[in-house]
Amino acid sequence: MDIEQLKSVANAIVAKQKGVLAADESTGTIKKRFDSVKAECTEESRRRYREILFTTEGIERYVGGVILYDETLRQSTRDGVPFAKLLSSRGIVSGIKVDKGAKPLALFPGDKLTEGLDGLRERLAEYSQLGAQFAKWRAVIEIDERDIPSAYGIRANAHALARYAALCQEAGLVPIVEPEVLMDGAHGIERCEAVTAQVLEAVFSELDAHRVVLEGILLKPNMVIPGMKCPRQASAQEVAGATIRCLKRYVPAAVPGIVFLSGGQSAEDATDNLNAMNALGAQLWELSFSYGRALQAPVLAAWKGQEENAAAAQKAFFTRCRLNGLARDGEYLRSMEGAA
Ligand code: 13P
């Protein structure tokens, strides 16, 4: 394992103003996204959509890394340039989603466990050959009124994340460690903070036990935020305060960067909340984004599967990237929305 190489890749992804585009939707998930704008979902339409994203002019100032799905890592531009090569020529690092999804955890009704460890060493070797320099594994933690998540559910997910992270570092890939506490449900921000704290404690304990070098990972957590159905929603300042407090307690300073998922927040909220955190001043780690929906929802709405909308889609994408780049420095304002 070349620690210096892992560190330099991790640092490049979260360099000043930069974050991650999560474009690693599985075929089933991207179909849902395409359905929502009545776009046809075929191998070619998925390829073309990703090409529109990756060829948008100027995004390299704000996008340090892109997470791809297996199919996409094997695809190319219409001129035949493999996507990983195109991204690398623009100074953007390619990553790959390697988990195989969250399945019900046996004998623990309500808990889920992410699968995909079997054969992972071999898959990582192939992905590295194809140009991936980092990887992603998402653990899903649902909050329910009763005792969900269970302590064992959290531990099992933390263990799987750590086994994945160790295999990535062995293969020379930076692991993005993603324990996502879902924002579905009616719980308040306090419950989200308590569960996020338990999850982060378990994750860092397992990473340590598995000898994972923290300088060569990126953490991709949820923000501390109330459930979507909670009658009392929180301001960006409250979200920022609770999130930073929780992270400071549980995330070691050796971790170079924290790249939040958007998790169902609107594009504007995700940018505003990140901005509020960075407006609190410099922290121990870079605080950045690894958004899927919050970067792509406006792009899909502009594109709608129609080639004549490609330029409008790229404009919408560049705008979201730029605004999140500003949020990296705490310089975003809501009034910038619509003014781009
Ligand atoms: P969202 O930002 O849409 O939550 O997606 C990020 C991601 O990669 C989830 O695994």
Side-chain angles (χ1 to χ4, degrees):
M1 170 168 61
D2 182 345
I3 304 288
E4 290 312 313
Q5 172 66 14
L6 291 173
K7 275 197 217 172
S8 90
V9 170
N11 286 318
I13 294 171
V14 292
K16 195 171 161 48
Q17 288 199 306
K18 292 188 187 180
V20 176
L21 162 66
D24 59 326
E25 299 85 358
S26 62
T27 307
T29 302
I30 200 72
K31 181 171 186 322
K32 274 194 252 163
R33 308 272 188 265
F34 280 15
D35 284 350
S36 72
V37 296
K38 300 196 167 55
E40 199 191 3
C41 189
T42 62
E43 187 175 343
E44 173 53 21
S45 70
R46 294 190 293 271
R47 190 206 63 77
R48 178 60 188 142
Y49 172 65
R50 267 72 182 243
E51 179 176 45
I52 288 171
L53 293 174
F54 307 158
T55 56
T56 299
E57 240 175 81
I59 56 160
E60 61 276 9
R61 278 172 62 191
Y62 311 110
V63 177
V66 176
I67 318 174
L68 306 168
Y69 183 59
D70 181 281
E71 175 185 271
T72 321
L73 182 59
R74 300 173 196 278
Q75 288 177 323
S76 304
T77 64
R78 59 182 157 209
D79 304 330
V81 182
F83 282 144
K85 197 164 169 204
L86 166 83
L87 290 167
S88 143
S89 73
R90 307 187 62 186
I92 299 174
V93 185
S94 292
I96 178 78
K97 166 206 189 76
V98 299
D99 69 69
K100 296 205 162 170
K103 308 280 159 58
L105 178 60
L107 306 186
F108 282 80
D111 281 309
K112 287 195 169 126
L113 177 61
T114 300
E115 298 188 348
L117 288 170
D118 288 351
L120 182 55
R121 175 177 274 129
E122 292 72 24
R123 288 196 290 132
L124 287 170
E126 191 198 2
Y127 289 142
S128 171
Q129 289 294 314
L130 289 169
Q133 290 185 277
F134 71 99
K136 183 194 102 169
W137 176 289
R138 172 174 175 256
V140 180
I141 310 289
E142 206 171 308
I143 297 183
D144 203 350
E145 283 161 31
R146 297 158 294 118
D147 45 0
I148 307 291
S150 68
Y152 179 72
I154 291 175
R155 185 64 59 191
N157 273 291
H159 184 262
L161 273 169
R163 281 192 59 198
Y164 140 82
L167 281 163
C168 285
Q169 290 196 334
E170 179 191 78
L173 276 79
V174 171
I176 291 195
V177 173
E178 179 179 7
E180 173 172 7
V181 177
L182 295 182
M183 61 185 285
D184 300 347
H187 56 274
I189 191 169
E190 299 79 10
R191 181 90 201 283
C192 179
E193 183 170 354
V195 173
T196 303
Q198 270 180 289
V199 168
L200 292 176
E201 190 280 325
V203 166
F204 283 98
S205 156
E206 290 290 343
L207 289 172
D208 186 53
H210 285 74
R211 302 186 176 171
V212 172
V213 179
L214 297 185
E215 287 83 352
I217 74 161
L218 292 170
L219 178 70
K220 175 163 173 168
N222 52 285
M223 296 179 191
V224 172
I225 208 165
M228 254 179 295
K229 296 196 201 105
C230 178
R232 209 187 79 72
Q233 289 297 311
S235 67
Q237 284 65 34
E238 280 177 274
V239 170
T243 305
I244 297 293
R245 175 172 60 220
C246 189
L247 294 173
K248 270 188 178 162
R249 287 177 179 164
Y250 297 98
V251 183
V255 173
I258 296 178
V259 290
F260 294 99
L261 58 93
S262 59
Q265 301 177 55
S266 70
E268 294 81 2
D269 285 352
T271 307
D272 205 11
N273 289 336
L274 176 65
N275 185 71
M277 285 185 241
N278 281 310
L280 293 173
Q283 304 294 337
L284 300 164
W285 345 259
E286 295 296 323
L287 287 179
S288 186
F289 56 90
S290 176
Y291 295 158
R293 284 162 286 179
L295 279 171
Q296 295 184 59
V299 186
L300 283 164
W303 178 56
K304 297 187 191 78
Q306 304 297 319
E307 189 53 36
E308 64 267 28
N309 296 332
Q314 291 194 323
K315 186 163 179 272
F317 184 45
F318 179 78
T319 298
R320 265 338 316 148
C321 293
R322 188 175 65 79
L323 294 177
N324 283 299
L326 289 171
R328 290 276 340 252
D329 289 329
E331 285 173 5
Y332 161 84
L333 297 169
R334 281 260 181 185
S335 57
M336 292 167 175
E337 296 290 348

